[in-house]
Amino acid sequence: QVQLVESGGGFVQPGGSLRLSCAASGSILWINVMGWYRQAPGKERELVARIISGGSTNYADSVKGRFTISRDNAKNAVDLQMNSLKPEDTAVYYCSAEIVSTTRATIQSWGRGTQVTVSS
């Protein structure tokens, strides 16, 4: 089994910063892709950023230049540094990973989510 645990959400004023962290644990052989998604009330879950094992990254247009995703392959961990936060960034943020387990199965795993609220 594989588990993703997020941390770092919270409340921040517009223009502020937060850093989200996520660590994967369990029967992991390697991790292909790690990323962050978010879901605001009444909206569908959307990709925020993702990072491939080799280091390539993708960002949603709405966060480019403000958010930075980084990854520590040795620790099976991914961080999301969020700067210049806006009220529209308010959402539950979910860590996601495409994991190859020790049984060679490919698993799409999700964390439970962490709330980010941006408000004055």
Side-chain angles (χ1 to χ4, degrees), residues 6 19 25 31 34 36 42 48 104 113 115:
E6 303 118 330
R19 188 176 184 88
S25 61
I31 302 178
M34 299 192 82
W36 291 92
V48 176
R104 301 282 176 166
Q115 177 70 44

Side-chain angles (χ1 to χ4, degrees), residues 6-118:
E6 303 118 330
S7 62
F11 180 93
V12 65
Q13 292 186 337
S17 298
L18 283 175
R19 188 176 184 88
L20 305 183
S21 297
C22 172
S25 61
S27 303
I28 299 170
L29 187 59
W30 72 78
I31 302 178
N32 290 326
V33 185
M34 299 192 82
W36 291 92
Y37 289 72
R38 67 186 180 187
Q39 187 167 19
K43 294 187 177 181
E44 293 186 353
R45 190 173 297 188
E46 64 175 357
L47 173 69
V48 176
R50 67 174 189 166
I51 183 166
I52 314 296
S53 59
S56 298
T57 58
N58 298 105
Y59 292 92
D61 288 343
S62 59
V63 307
K64 284 181 181 177
R66 300 188 298 122
F67 292 9
T68 302
I69 190 169
S70 60
R71 176 172 173 172
D72 186 333
N73 290 329
K75 296 181 178 179
N76 291 328
V78 63
D79 288 350
L80 185 68
Q81 178 65 41
M82 304 185 294
N83 298 327
S84 302
L85 282 160
K86 304 175 181 180
E88 50 263 44
D89 295 318
T90 296
V92 177
Y93 284 70
Y94 297 90
C95 178
S96 176
E98 182 183 282
I99 295 169
V100 178
S101 72
T102 53
T103 62
R104 301 282 176 166
T106 299
I107 303 167
Q108 188 68 40
S109 185
W110 293 88
R112 292 185 175 183
T114 184
Q115 177 70 44
V116 171
T117 303
V118 185

